[in-house]
């Protein structure tokens, strides 16, 4: 009956933050933690208690069942005190049996009382957490891959959308715990929710971190593609022509470069937008990526300087080619005059 004094007459779980407990004036007898397990190949994700309802029920019923066996075989006090008497046997105390009507009735009463305030309230409270099931069922790696496919497939590169999705989870990592109390009193049982609040927050943080990693990788890939565009032009004009035709072709190519560089302006702006998104994540950017950012900013100036340098070299080559051509023409004229003299003889 002492145990039943801890059992409320009614426990109604209204929501994850509210429960009405009636008929109890004592403190909860058990304190348990609320947790969740991530999905596996064999089982879905689920919220669980650190102790199952059945284990709590058994822990309460076991002392009652054992009490009858513990009293069996106890020798009466007379045998221990009256040592000078001749005892032909050890007198055993009479004890009640577990199958007596009053014991059976009392056990049923205790069992019903415990069942009413353990199984249904604990199960109902887990059901109130269903809004968070979608979150704990998320496979982070698959979720990040799907986000990458949606925002970065083919020619589209919607890093703004990817950042917004990651930032949403980063924000929810802070606010997700607001809807869950630190503790929930179900009368006989006190549920500690702080662990699951932390786990839910960590799940959001892990998702956000995975999406930010995709953002960083895609920013790096796009920056590399921009550098490749400039590098191709830079290497092409860096090859010195070996004849007049090559010089003419290189000049023709260089005349198209200003327009080609200007056509890369949208890529440069887009690249800078990507890096601004990375700055908003407030994560430490790798030094290599930071170097790439400023390398791209300097590429138009670098190309303009290289074009001026190449143009100067082309003028020098043009003068040399002209001298060679004049010398060749002079030699040709001399050979022609010599041939004409020989023919006149």
């Amino acid at each position: 009956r002492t145990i039943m004094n801890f059992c409320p007459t009614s426990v109604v779980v209204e929501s994850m933050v509210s429960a009405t407990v009636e008929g109890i004036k004592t403190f909860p007898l058990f304190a348990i933690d609320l947790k969740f397990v991530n999905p596996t190949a064999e089982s879905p994700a689920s919220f669980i208690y650190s102790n199952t309802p059945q284990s709590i029920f058994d822990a309460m019923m076991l002392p009652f069942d054992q009490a009858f066996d513990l009293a069996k075989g106890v020798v009466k006090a007379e045998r221990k005190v009256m040592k000078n008497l001749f005892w032909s046997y050890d007198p055993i105390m009479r004890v009640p049996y577990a199958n007596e009507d009053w014991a059976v009735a009392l056990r049923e009463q205790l069992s019903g009382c415990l069942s009413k305030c353990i199984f249904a309230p604990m199960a109902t409270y887990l059901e109130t957490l269903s809004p968070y099931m979608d979150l704990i069922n998320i496979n982070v790696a698959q979720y990040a891959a799907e986000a990458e496919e949606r925002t970065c497939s083919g020619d589209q590169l919607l890093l703004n959308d990817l950042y917004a999705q990651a930032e949403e989870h980063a924000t929810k990592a802070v606010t997700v715990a607001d809807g869950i109390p630190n503790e929930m009193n179900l009368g006989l049982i006190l549920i500690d929710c702080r662990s699951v609040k932390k786990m839910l927050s960590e799940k959001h943080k892990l998702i956000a971190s995975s999406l930010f990693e995709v953002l960083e990788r895609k920013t790096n890939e796009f920056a590399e593609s921009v550098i490749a565009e400039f590098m191709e032009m830079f290497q092409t004009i860096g090859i010195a022509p070996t004849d007049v035709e090559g010089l003419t072709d290189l000049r023709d190519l260089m005349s198209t470069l200003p327009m080609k560089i200007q056509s890369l302006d949208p890529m440069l702006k887009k690249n800078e937008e990507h890096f601004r998104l990375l700055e908003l994540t407030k994560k430490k950017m790798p030094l290599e990526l930071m170097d790439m950012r400023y390398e791209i900013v300097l590429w138009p100036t670098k190309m303009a300087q290289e074009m001026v340098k190449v143009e100067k070299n082309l003028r020098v080559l043009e003068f040399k080619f002209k001298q060679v051509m004049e010398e060749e023409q002079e030699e040709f004229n001399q050979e022609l005059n010599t041939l004409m003299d020989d023919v006149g003889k």
Side-chain angles (χ1 to χ4, degrees):
R1 292 191 180 276
T2 301
I3 294 175
M4 286 189 284
N5 289 335
F6 286 88
C7 297
T9 56
S10 173
V11 180
V12 179
V13 178
E14 292 133 3
S15 67
M16 69 180 72
V17 296
S18 175
T20 301
V21 181
E22 297 179 353
I24 186 171
K25 298 181 181 179
T26 59
F27 51 85
L29 199 57
F30 287 91
I32 61 175
D33 290 332
L34 177 65
K35 302 178 180 180
F36 76 79
V37 291
N38 286 306
T40 64
E42 294 77 22
S43 61
S46 62
F47 286 99
I48 62 171
Y49 295 112
S50 57
N51 297 92
T52 65
Q54 186 63 51
S55 66
I56 297 174
F57 177 82
D58 292 342
M60 300 294 286
M61 294 301 300
L62 186 60
F64 182 90
D65 294 333
Q66 289 179 337
F68 295 96
D69 293 332
L70 290 175
K72 290 180 180 179
V74 177
V75 178
K76 288 184 177 182
E78 291 88 337
R79 177 69 177 84
K80 301 296 182 180
V81 176
M82 304 172 71
K83 297 181 179 179
N84 294 329
L85 293 179
F86 294 99
W87 295 91
S88 60
Y89 66 96
D90 290 333
I92 304 300
M93 292 180 57
R94 293 186 59 188
V95 295
Y97 293 94
N99 57 358
E100 293 183 19
D101 292 342
W102 68 269
V104 172
L106 185 59
R107 190 184 191 286
E108 290 179 354
Q109 183 182 0
L110 176 61
S111 176
C113 183
L114 290 175
S115 296
K116 182 175 65 174
C117 58
I118 292 178
F119 292 103
M122 292 180 69
T124 303
Y125 189 68
L126 288 184
E127 292 174 2
T128 65
L129 299 169
S130 57
Y132 296 100
M133 288 301 299
D134 289 342
L135 172 62
I136 68 173
N137 271 308
I138 289 177
N139 182 304
V140 178
Q142 182 179 349
Y143 185 85
E146 290 174 354
E148 180 177 351
E149 177 67 22
R150 179 177 57 82
T151 58
C152 308
S153 61
D155 295 332
Q156 69 172 355
L157 194 61
L158 307 176
L159 295 192
N160 281 327
D161 293 348
L162 183 63
Y163 169 78
Q165 188 175 357
E167 186 61 24
E168 179 183 2
H169 284 283
T171 302
K172 287 183 177 180
V174 179
T175 62
V176 66
D178 293 345
I180 303 177
N182 287 333
E183 295 176 341
M184 190 65 182
N185 189 345
L186 298 184
L188 184 66
I189 299 164
L190 182 68
I191 302 174
D192 190 333
C193 303
R194 283 171 292 189
S195 177
V196 78
K197 290 171 69 170
K198 182 179 180 181
M199 293 172 74
L200 291 173
S201 178
E202 291 298 326
K203 186 69 176 279
H204 274 300
K205 288 180 182 178
L206 181 58
I207 295 172
S209 178
S210 297
L211 295 178
F212 284 142
E213 287 176 4
V214 175
L215 175 64
E216 182 179 305
R217 176 160 48 82
K218 288 301 177 181
T219 298
N220 183 80
E221 290 175 1
F222 186 82
E224 287 178 344
S225 68
V226 176
I227 291 175
E229 292 282 346
F230 281 103
M231 187 62 71
E232 182 181 1
M233 292 185 288
F234 186 84
Q235 291 176 344
T236 300
I237 65 175
I239 302 174
T242 57
D243 52 34
V244 176
E245 290 78 7
L247 187 146
T248 303
D249 291 341
L250 184 54
R251 272 222 168 95
D252 291 342
L253 173 63
M254 288 181 59
S255 66
T256 66
L257 290 185
M259 186 66 67
K260 188 172 182 180
I261 293 173
Q262 186 176 359
S263 69
L264 294 177
D265 279 350
M267 292 184 70
L268 297 177
K269 292 178 181 178
K270 196 170 185 179
N271 181 73
E272 189 58 26
E273 289 175 1
H274 295 167
F275 277 97
R276 288 198 186 100
L277 291 177
L278 280 183
E279 287 179 344
L280 291 176
T281 66
K282 299 179 181 179
K283 292 181 61 180
K284 185 177 180 181
M285 198 181 304
L287 292 176
E288 297 81 3
L289 199 56
M290 292 176 64
D291 291 342
M292 290 175 68
R293 178 182 188 178
Y294 295 108
E295 180 184 352
I296 291 172
V297 172
L298 295 174
W299 259 113
T301 302
K302 183 177 180 179
M303 282 298 302
Q305 293 172 345
E306 185 67 15
M307 289 171 65
V308 171
K309 178 181 176 182
V310 170
E311 179 59 32
K312 290 180 180 179
N313 293 336
L314 290 181
R315 289 175 184 174
V316 173
L317 287 174
E318 185 179 25
F319 179 76
K320 290 182 178 179
F321 289 153
K322 184 177 180 180
Q323 281 185 324
V324 171
M325 290 177 64
E326 289 176 351
E327 291 174 358
E328 290 177 349
Q329 184 65 39
E330 181 65 25
E331 291 178 0
F332 175 75
N333 290 336
Q334 290 178 359
E335 291 178 359
L336 182 61
N337 291 333
T338 301
L339 182 60
M340 291 177 65
D341 292 341
D342 292 341
V343 171
K345 294 178 180 180

